[in-house]
Amino acid sequence: MDLKKILRTNIQNLVPYSSARDEFQGEASVFLDANENSFGSPLATAYNRYPDPLQLAVKKKISEIKGVPPQNIFLGNGSDEAIDILIRAFCRPGIDNIILLPPTYGMYEVSANINDVAVKKVPLTAGYQLNLEGIAEAIDENTKLIFICSPNNPTANSIYREDIETVLANFPGLVIIDEAYINYSRQKTFIRELTEYNNLVILQTLSKAWGLAGLRVGMAFASEEIIEVFNKVKPPYNINEASQQLALNALQNVDQVNEWIRETVAERDRLGTALLDLHCVREIFPSDANFLLVKTTDAKGIYQFLVERGIIVRDRSNVILCEDSLRITIGTPNENTLLLGALKSFPH
Ligand SMILES: *Cc1c(COP(=O)(O)O)cnc(C)c1O
């Protein structure tokens, strides 16, 4: 893949914003270059200074955990920012298109729509795997990106590795693998494949297993060339100082996170087995994520019944290939028990 061929010309030629922090890096004692309030902030922690635009401290820690050099990492205000930047940097509005594989995460399509970029949909097979022939047929000379979510939201399964590699090896645009749920998966991350495929972008996030959805920190891993595109296009201070500091603290607690992952996976098994015994449950789809896709006898009725008992799940029954299905996040053992108790009393 030749990145220059797929990148928009205006982005190729873009002179990015140069902040005070970009122009002077080094030791100094008096900073009068960024029009900050030199006196401080009305908070116990000082936030009067602009944050590191490239978040190097956080990236170094992520680099240690993931085994990826910092220059191959982009941090976004959630994965959603990474998704938006990919579409904006590579797709010409009204001309280019992206390929999506529904049922899948909704933000890819919303982001494409916001940017006036056409979406070509190639639904997954009945077994929630890639339709490789359909994808090959959908690709045209203006197809820039293919989004593959694995483990997939809302179907919970992982996409076959060989199929993803087939797409990576044959598509001359970018293949984005969204691994938001990779920590819960039996499958391995594609991060080790970054050196093999220069058209690969991997998305991960601190919002799920890391328990930091409120901080808004998403990660993209890719070639240095692609990361440079992200850095050119992103707002200069896209990760605020509080999020950078808190993310850095949280990243010291890998053991706690791994313990929660083990508990979540154990609860996923327990909840799945127990749900199958209920008369209102038809099928539990295999899950590599922290949620279950559950085919029921009456998705809308059960959804409403649970709402009345203060339990909120996600009704996915209007989504293609998810007829009658609810998406249920794995809760704490107590929450899962409450859910099971409520569902047991759903009338025949
Ligand atoms: C939850 C989720 C994300 C996370 O998005 P953030 O913006 O990082 O919170 C990304 N992709 C998928 C498929 C998700 O389900």
Side-chain angles (χ1 to χ4, degrees):
M1 183 210 57
D2 182 356
L3 199 74
K4 294 207 175 58
K5 276 201 187 128
I6 63 166
L7 189 61
R8 288 172 69 189
T9 325
N10 63 313
I11 303 299
Q12 226 157 270
N13 299 335
L14 179 74
V15 180
Y17 176 75
S18 183
S19 69
R21 290 292 162 274
D22 290 320
E23 291 190 358
F24 178 84
Q25 289 155 349
E27 294 299 312
S29 52
V30 182
F31 282 96
L32 303 176
D33 58 347
N35 296 348
E36 297 147 339
N37 181 340
S38 302
F39 294 87
S41 10
L43 290 169
T45 311
Y47 289 112
N48 55 322
R49 300 296 177 185
Y50 280 100
D52 175 3
L54 292 174
Q55 311 100 16
L56 265 180
V58 186
K59 282 180 186 170
K60 277 195 186 128
K61 190 67 204 166
I62 291 173
S63 167
E64 281 170 29
I65 294 170
K66 303 284 178 182
V68 180
Q71 60 271 26
N72 294 101
I73 305 173
F74 163 78
L75 298 184
N77 188 354
S79 312
D80 293 344
E81 183 174 35
I83 293 165
D84 179 68
I85 290 179
L86 285 164
I87 293 174
R88 263 191 302 143
F90 290 96
C91 303
R92 293 165 295 177
I95 301 171
D96 290 330
N97 66 75
I98 66 171
I99 291 180
L100 300 183
L101 316 167
T104 195
Y105 187 46
M107 263 322 278
Y108 317 135
E109 183 169 13
V110 172
S111 211
N113 287 343
I114 289 170
N115 290 294
D116 192 22
V117 166
V119 171
K120 290 190 174 199
K121 293 185 186 176
V122 182
L124 297 175
T125 64
Y128 298 145
Q129 291 297 332
L130 302 187
N131 170 359
L132 286 175
E133 272 179 35
I135 293 172
E137 278 168 28
I139 294 171
D140 65 32
E141 77 234 31
N142 293 328
T143 306
K144 297 296 182 64
L145 314 174
I146 300 180
F147 283 88
I148 300 175
C149 188
S150 182
N152 186 38
N153 179 2
T155 60
N157 64 303
S158 292
I159 304 298
Y160 295 144
R161 204 173 179 85
E162 314 78 71
D163 287 358
I164 297 179
E165 296 208 31
T166 301
V167 179
L168 274 166
N170 292 291
F171 178 55
L174 297 188
V175 178
I176 297 116
I177 308 179
D178 188 340
E179 295 187 338
Y181 300 99
I182 194 67
N183 308 73
Y184 304 104
S185 177
R186 301 164 187 84
Q187 300 300 316
K188 281 187 308 192
T189 168
F190 263 86
I191 279 185
R192 300 278 91 71
E193 270 57 57
L194 276 175
T195 45
E196 192 173 336
Y197 300 102
N198 71 350
N199 61 338
L200 170 60
V201 178
I202 295 154
L203 302 181
Q204 292 188 7
T205 181
L206 298 187
S207 296
K208 304 288 156 66
W210 282 93
L212 299 170
L215 289 194
R216 311 306 304 128
V217 181
M219 303 170 269
F221 304 96
S223 73
E224 241 181 289
E225 217 185 351
I226 296 173
I227 296 300
E228 279 168 16
V229 173
F230 275 109
N231 289 339
K232 238 172 133 173
V233 174
K234 77 182 187 73
Y237 305 111
N238 62 325
I239 310 287
N240 69 66
E241 181 63 23
S243 288
Q244 290 193 39
Q245 287 180 7
L246 292 169
L248 193 57
N249 291 349
L251 288 163
Q252 320 293 330
N253 289 323
V254 185
D255 292 344
Q256 168 69 82
V257 171
N258 284 335
E259 177 51 32
W260 280 329
I261 293 167
R262 276 191 289 277
E263 276 188 68
T264 303
V265 168
E267 278 298 295
R268 180 175 78 196
D269 293 345
R270 176 179 82 95
L271 186 61
T273 309
L275 283 169
L276 267 184
D277 282 340
L278 302 178
H279 60 80
C280 63
V281 170
R282 288 224 166 97
E283 187 175 357
I284 307 285
F285 296 95
S287 174
D288 260 348
N290 67 340
F291 59 86
L292 292 170
L293 187 69
V294 182
K295 200 180 193 77
T296 67
T297 52
D298 173 15
K300 294 215 180 315
I302 294 167
Y303 174 83
Q304 208 45 52
F305 182 83
L306 289 174
V307 166
E308 282 154 22
R309 282 149 188 82
I311 299 171
I312 314 301
V313 298
R314 195 91 199 263
D315 177 10
R316 298 281 77 184
S317 60
N318 291 332
V319 170
I320 179 175
L321 295 172
C322 294
E323 293 77 19
D324 304 317
S325 297
L326 299 172
R327 192 193 71 189
I328 303 179
T329 306
I330 309 301
T332 62
N334 183 42
E335 288 171 333
N336 300 331
T337 300
L338 287 171
L339 171 79
L340 286 166
L343 284 175
K344 256 181 213 141
S345 61
F346 184 71
H348 281 261

